[in-house]
Amino acid sequence: VRKSKRKMFGDTKHYDPVALKQKFVLWPGLAELAARYRERTYYFANPENRETFLENPTEFLSKNGPMKPPPLRLVMLGARGAGKSLHSRQLAQHLGIFHISFKERLQELIMAKTKKKIGPAYPEDEEEPEYSPEEIAAMSAITGPDGQPVTTTGLTDSAPTDTSEAGETATEDKEAEDGQKEEGETEEEIPLTEDEEAIKNNLESEDALSPDVLDKIVPEWWNKEPFKSTGFIIEGFPRTPDEARYMADQGLFPDGAVLLLVEDTDIIDRLLPPRLAKWRVNRNRRIAKKERAKAKKKKERDDLIAKRRAELEAEKAKAKKKKERDDLIAKRRAELEAEKA
């Protein structure tokens, strides 16, 4: 009886041991890039990793017990209005990992210059509403395992900062901005960088983000602390086949994807009432704004008329006073002439 030879994998099974060691990510290897060491087979994602392994195999093998697996990394996908934000945030808190909203992260990266959110859902003439602390936390691009907002800086290599320090900085910026408005200074529009323009175009018209821009946003969630050792769930990324290919090319593999399938009627029933309410609020705000502008214009016109009327009254009184003075002089002159005669 001929027995089929069963392939004996190494500690990382069919995952690349070099990628696990160096990047702490489960990167599926390729059978055509396999190597054998101590009667075990190892798969590699690329020739470079295979060469690195063969130079010093023991560096990538477990020494004292099983190798530590990377933390859980998930992506949450679904149609707009399917409930990705709600479910991914709750799932992140339940699993004790970070929650990342990709779209909100894009907003954060340019809001320091645009001073407002960009996109079809945020009309130009819409005033920024005031939100409660709970609503602000719910709209944060990144929240920690405890559900609290995490603030990060812009398109640079950075780690999350303490939210209290970020709050103090935001308060100082707000006070400075209010002070400038009180002094009557006009705020100049800050030019966007090339990357920031690309983000703005993506938010406005869904233009594709280039790999160069994605390189400055996405990899840190896999490669830097505290995301690297804690794990996360990303909401709304990848959105296109190109973005999925970008993740595969960069070795940014999630451990699973959650796809929310919702009927169109359910989405309409869920989104239409609040959007109608928002439309009514914006409509009433626009009407009130027009009424205020109309009242202001009428007041300016009435003030101008009143001012001109006052000027005419003053001129009339001045002319009357001059005529009375001239009449008095003429009368006195006539009296002097009469006395002289």
Side-chain angles (χ1 to χ4, degrees), residues 154-178:
L155 292 164
T156 54
D157 295 335
S158 58
T161 58
D162 183 70
T163 53
S164 60
E165 293 179 3
E168 291 174 4
T169 304
T171 303
E172 292 172 1
D173 294 343
K174 183 73 169 60
E175 290 174 353
E177 184 180 339
D178 292 342

Side-chain angles (χ1 to χ4, degrees), residues 176-177 179-188:
E177 184 180 339
Q180 287 183 353
K181 289 180 180 179
E182 288 175 3
E183 294 171 6
E185 296 181 8
T186 56
E187 187 177 349
E188 295 182 1

